[in-house]
Amino acid sequence: MIGLYFVTCLAANPAHCVTRTHYFDEAVETPIQCLKLAQPAMAGWQNDHEHERWRIERFRCGSPPRDPGSVI
């Protein structure tokens, strides 16, 4: 399954980062399809009031990361 993986860091403490995962409601079978949907998905996540303290630092589409840390 292709997913969107992105790293978010606290605006007040950029050293505190978390890797997040988003799976789309639509059938996404290729990384290109994921990239087309990634920006609106991350913008929606960022605009949610719960996440206003967080900033998206980097992202990728693909299979789950092997490292559970912040390396994506």
Side-chain angles (χ1 to χ4, degrees), residues 23-49:
Y23 293 106
F24 300 98
D25 294 334
E26 303 90 15
V28 176
E29 298 176 6
T30 67
I32 297 297
Q33 289 174 321
C34 176
L35 288 172
K36 290 180 181 178
L37 299 170
Q39 187 173 12
M42 289 186 294
W45 184 91
Q46 184 71 55
N47 289 331
D48 187 354
H49 294 293

Side-chain angles (χ1 to χ4, degrees), residues 32-71:
I32 297 297
Q33 289 174 321
C34 176
L35 288 172
K36 290 180 181 178
L37 299 170
Q39 187 173 12
M42 289 186 294
W45 184 91
Q46 184 71 55
N47 289 331
D48 187 354
H49 294 293
E50 290 180 26
H51 304 123
E52 60 190 16
R53 300 178 311 145
W54 296 87
R55 300 292 175 250
I56 297 171
E57 295 295 322
R58 57 190 174 275
F59 76 96
R60 74 171 182 85
C61 288
S63 57
R66 293 181 184 166
D67 177 10
S70 63
V71 176

Side-chain angles (χ1 to χ4, degrees), residues 2-41:
I2 301 292
L4 171 61
Y5 303 92
F6 55 105
V7 174
T8 60
C9 299
L10 280 173
N13 182 6
H16 179 76
C17 299
V18 176
T19 300
R20 312 217 184 240
T21 304
H22 175 79
Y23 293 106
F24 300 98
D25 294 334
E26 303 90 15
V28 176
E29 298 176 6
T30 67
I32 297 297
Q33 289 174 321
C34 176
L35 288 172
K36 290 180 181 178
L37 299 170
Q39 187 173 12

